[in-house]
Amino acid sequence: MFYMIHTYINDFPAEKGVTIHHLLSHSSGVADFTFSPEYWEKFMLLPSSLEKSINWIKSKPLQFQPGKDMQYSNAGYLLLTALIEKVSDLPYEQFLLENIFKPLQLKNTGIDNGRKIVTDLASGHSVWEEAIHPEYVDMSIPQGAYGMYSTAEDLFKWTEALRNGLLLNKWMTSKMFTANPGGYGYGWFINGEQGTARHSGDINGFTNELLMNFKEDLTIVILSNMNITPADKICEDLYRITLKEKVRMPQRLAYSNVPVPWRMLTGEYRAHELYAAVHWGGK
């Protein structure tokens, strides 16, 4: 896992010192295009290729020295996608099909490239006073970062395969579920005290949460095609209910009694998940 990725990815700067371990543990420091305002304004709307995305990543300076911090990075997963293709000499989708989907009989799991018609694939939604279509995203971009689709049943099969060592040997399974600095293993947020591994995910119109508890042999999968669904809260509550723990019910806010300083909020906001201009039109 400490192999340098420049030996696999052409022209990746060796001086950056990024290893496979850094990518798997989100400690690489590579620039993440989804954190850039350009992503929401341009990148996500246009067709792209893995090569173009990696060229963008290679051209940007590191956010921090590899191994010195932890920051979740979709760009890291694109580099891992390219690494899989290089080592296996197979397209990413075909590698997954032959090595994971078929052996585990995950019949409703695959890669959504935005062109191929997937039977019964759910449509994503958002909300703006009413349910609406989400912002468009070209699915040629995500690939190994956030480009897959699945079902609750298939995800359960996958977690059972990980638990029972059907995919990885004992050493690799242990590495996957051992927390690195920042609380992240390889593909999972780890809580050693609770004995849990969990991960959330979202893309335009969709959100989800998956939790495994090794001590209780418990798996919870929450999938929603409404992007404002509090999947993490639902997952946490189901987890507590199953363990017969107390659950705090949400309280409805009395918005009419909450003064909002609208004038102070006027301005332009930029973040990795939001780009909006707020204008004050009141008196």
Side-chain angles (χ1 to χ4, degrees), residues 18 21 29 43 49 73 96 99 139 167 193 197 209 220 230 252 261 272 280-281:
V18 177
H21 167 77
F43 290 169
S49 67
S73 173
L96 294 185
N99 293 277
M139 293 303 293
L167 269 181
E193 184 176 341
E209 187 86 16
I220 298 175
R252 181 180 295 275
H272 74 280
W280 167 245

Side-chain angles (χ1 to χ4, degrees), residues 226-237:
M226 174 62 77
N227 67 349
I228 65 169
T229 302
D232 55 344
K233 169 65 173 169
I234 294 171
C235 182
E236 186 67 27
D237 286 352

Side-chain angles (χ1 to χ4, degrees), residues 261-279:
W262 293 112
R263 294 183 186 278
M264 294 177 62
L265 300 178
T266 302
E268 189 174 273
Y269 294 79
R270 290 176 180 265
H272 74 280
E273 293 182 346
L274 172 68
Y275 171 56
V278 179
H279 302 283

Side-chain angles (χ1 to χ4, degrees), residues 182-195:
Y184 201 84
Y186 288 166
W188 299 93
F189 287 98
I190 308 299
N191 186 318
E193 184 176 341
Q194 292 182 345

Side-chain angles (χ1 to χ4, degrees), residues 85 91-98 101 110-113 116:
E85 293 191 341
Y92 174 65
E93 182 174 12
Q94 186 178 346
F95 176 85
L96 294 185
L97 183 65
E98 294 181 7
F101 301 160
I111 304 299
D112 180 12
N113 61 16
K116 181 175 64 178

